[in-house]
Amino acid sequence: ARVRTAVMARLQGTCAMDLAQVALAAGVDLLRPGGAGPSFRLAEGNQALADRIATEVPDLRLGHVVGLVEHWSDGVRVAFRDGPLAGELRARAAVLAVPPPVLRSLALEPRPPADLEAAIAGIGFGPASKLVVPLGAEPESFARQSVGGPFWWWSALGDDGRARWCVTSFAGSAAARAELRTAAGDPRPWLDRLRSLDPDVRAAGEPVLVDWASDPFAGGGYSAIPPGAPGLLSALERPLGPIVLCGEHTAGPRWHGTMEGAIRSGRRAASQVLKLLSHG
């Protein structure tokens, strides 16, 4: 029973959802020995990938909030509802790489077909939070799991091959968010809980807490597929006229919720856009 409780807590945190809200077919790779395969990290953090790509974008516009995406057979109009430059952009094609909660709030005209609307409405998006605690010395290599919460914490290697002077903790699911009170933005309840389980974690500076569910442009951490929803997912991979959806939530049952899925969806979306433009 204790092993079962620990495994369930780990899976709940990994899916960032209560397991009753996750389809078994979507999580089967998590249960296989070795998981889905090798797992890689970016030494500078995942944000570094977006930052590096952004340096090569010739016309990058920040600070705009899109309210409407209108499309017809051979074009797209993107209208801003907020930002330094009011107005719109027009193009022959567009890629919507936004999380499901943001996608659900975005006006698409004309409305998507019924199967795509059902997929957008049906896919889950788990609340996830992360706490980083700076340390005064290099820690040992470890990873530990709390079954209450649940959450886990670990030390990780930096790009020099040595352990970074910090402990990172991750919590996924609404239950963990409520118990650790991450929505308030105060890292102390989580830090106190962590210290009660692992007294060796001694903060040498201010801890940093990120609660992605509180971010209006994220709405959570990453997608989770509810029971009955796997059959809807293929609709997210099809072009909607000149519009292509992209992001880990469009990567299907095996790769959703992962950086690998995000990259695969980007390659698929780029291929679809090139095909659309070549036929235009």
Side-chain angles (χ1 to χ4, degrees):
R2 294 177 63 187
V3 172
R4 181 180 186 275
T5 299
V7 171
M8 295 289 281
R10 184 71 181 91
L11 289 174
Q12 180 176 328
T14 297
C15 296
M17 295 282 280
D18 183 282
L19 293 182
Q21 302 174 43
V22 179
L24 179 60
V28 68
D29 282 314
L30 299 175
L31 302 173
R32 292 176 179 159
S39 180
F40 300 94
R41 293 189 306 110
L42 295 176
E44 300 173 42
N46 291 343
Q47 181 62 29
L49 180 60
D51 290 341
R52 296 290 175 83
I53 293 174
T55 62
E56 300 184 18
V57 177
D59 184 13
L60 182 63
R61 308 189 185 196
L62 303 176
H64 294 78
V65 180
V66 174
L68 169 69
V69 179
E70 185 181 20
H71 63 97
W72 48 96
S73 61
D74 59 352
V76 180
R77 183 175 76 91
V78 177
F80 304 130
R81 63 177 174 85
D82 192 16
L85 297 175
E88 62 184 37
L89 287 175
R90 292 177 179 261
R92 291 173 58 194
V95 177
L96 295 186
V98 296
V102 180
L103 188 57
R104 286 193 277 266
S105 68
L106 188 63
L108 294 174
E109 297 294 344
R111 294 182 58 143
D115 62 341
L116 180 53
E117 281 203 322
I120 294 173
I123 193 166
F125 208 65
S129 308
K130 184 173 279 189
L131 175 72
V132 179
V133 182
L135 303 177
E138 182 178 322
E140 64 176 358
S141 178
F142 72 89
R144 299 178 180 124
Q145 174 72 45
S146 167
V147 298
F151 66 94
W152 69 296
W153 66 103
W154 69 95
S155 64
L157 300 180
D159 55 4
D160 60 357
R162 300 182 65 91
R164 296 182 296 174
W165 287 30
C166 66
V167 167
T168 305
S169 186
F170 179 87
S173 77
R177 187 173 187 244
E179 185 159 333
L180 299 173
R181 292 181 281 169
T182 62
D186 183 357
R188 286 174 296 180
W190 193 346
L191 180 60
D192 291 343
R193 178 68 181 281
L194 177 58
R195 288 290 312 278
S196 71
L197 296 170
D198 192 346
D200 290 336
V201 177
R202 298 183 178 88
E206 287 298 317
V208 177
L209 170 67
V210 178
D211 180 66
W212 285 287
S214 300
D215 185 338
F217 298 108
Y222 45 80
S223 62
I225 303 175
L232 302 173
L233 299 183
S234 61
L236 297 170
E237 300 182 56
R238 297 198 310 265
L240 174 63
I243 295 174
V244 174
L245 302 183
C246 180
E248 53 79 17
H249 57 288
T250 70
R254 182 175 184 187
W255 297 111
H256 77 285
T258 65
M259 284 291 290
E260 178 73 19
I263 293 170
R264 285 172 179 259
S265 76
R267 290 182 171 181
R268 184 260 306 153
S271 175
Q272 289 173 321
V273 167
L274 291 174
K275 186 174 181 180
L276 287 169
L277 295 180
S278 66
H279 292 170

